[in-house]
């Protein structure tokens, strides 16, 4: 059977981005392991630490993450006492996430590993290219891509 219809691997933007994301995530996970955090957990705690309490939906939007996936990532952080879930300040039906004192301490401990990963990545990839890559990726995340339904796919 012919496979001419298959795109070449180097033609797929999604594959390239996902492979790069997994590669970098594994690298950062190794550096954060001594603090007992994974990259996603570090990102969640850091975002809440910088921005203050947020609803799950707001945090999911900020992290460009599916709400359900975020929910799964929050559970171990709550279990370990690194973040707390409380009723919303403006709408008691909503839930807000707060970094706890223990969460801030864990972030402080993880900062060393994160800084080492940042420096090593920039050394290997190049300082200018690293800054450019980050800017480009933030731009990609902010781009409004058209939604597709099954009918117009």
């Amino acid at each position: 059977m012919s496979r001419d219809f298959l795109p070449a691997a180097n033609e797929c933007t999604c594959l390239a981005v996902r492979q790069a994301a997994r590669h970098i995530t594994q690298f950062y996970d190794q550096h954060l392991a001594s603090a007992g955090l994974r990259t996603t957990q570090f990102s969640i705690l850091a975002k809440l630490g910088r921005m203050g309490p947020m609803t799950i939906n707001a945090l999911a939007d900020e992290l460009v993450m599916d709400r359900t996936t975020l929910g799964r990532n929050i559970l171990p952080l709550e279990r370990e006492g690194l973040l707390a879930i409380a009723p919303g300040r403006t709408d008691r039906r909503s839930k807000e996430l707060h970094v706890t004192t223990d969460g801030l301490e864990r972030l402080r401990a993880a900062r060393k590993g994160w800084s080492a990963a940042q420096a090593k990545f920039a050394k290997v990839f190049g300082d200018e290219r690293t800054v450019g890559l980050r800017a480009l990726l933030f731009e990609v995340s902010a781009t409004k891509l058209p939604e597709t339904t099954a009918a117009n796919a």
Side-chain angles (χ1 to χ4, degrees):
M1 178 174 176
S2 172
R3 296 177 187 201
D4 296 350
F5 67 94
L6 294 173
N10 65 353
E11 293 177 336
C12 183
T13 303
C14 186
L15 176 64
V17 169
R18 290 178 61 93
Q19 283 181 327
R22 285 190 294 270
H23 183 63
I24 294 169
T25 297
Q26 290 166 3
F27 177 73
Y28 274 74
D29 280 347
Q30 291 171 4
H31 285 82
L32 294 172
S34 64
L37 290 176
R38 296 185 57 87
T39 304
T40 303
Q41 295 170 324
F42 179 85
S43 297
I44 291 167
L45 292 174
K47 183 67 80 169
L48 289 170
R50 277 191 307 275
M51 298 185 75
M54 300 175 79
T55 64
I56 293 172
N57 287 339
L59 182 58
D61 288 344
E62 280 291 322
L63 294 171
V64 190
M65 184 182 273
D66 177 76
R67 187 189 185 289
T68 306
T69 303
L70 177 60
R72 283 193 306 272
N73 281 280
I74 287 170
L75 293 175
L77 295 172
E78 182 185 25
R79 244 189 337 266
E80 291 184 45
L82 304 180
L83 67 76
I85 302 173
R89 291 171 290 176
T90 56
D91 180 354
R92 306 294 288 167
R93 295 170 296 176
S94 69
K95 299 200 185 309
E96 282 186 343
L97 305 173
H98 304 256
V99 178
T100 64
T101 303
D102 287 347
L104 290 173
E105 285 302 315
R106 184 75 66 89
L107 263 175
R108 201 169 279 117
R111 176 66 193 248
K112 183 178 179 183
W114 177 85
S115 294
Q118 288 280 105
K120 288 177 185 177
F121 182 88
K123 183 176 182 179
V124 170
F125 197 68
D127 288 333
E128 275 186 50
R129 289 176 67 204
T130 297
V131 170
L133 175 64
R134 232 183 352 257
L136 184 61
L137 291 172
F138 282 128
E139 195 176 319
V140 168
S141 295
T143 301
K144 297 293 181 204
L145 299 173
E147 291 189 27
T148 302
T149 62
N152 66 9

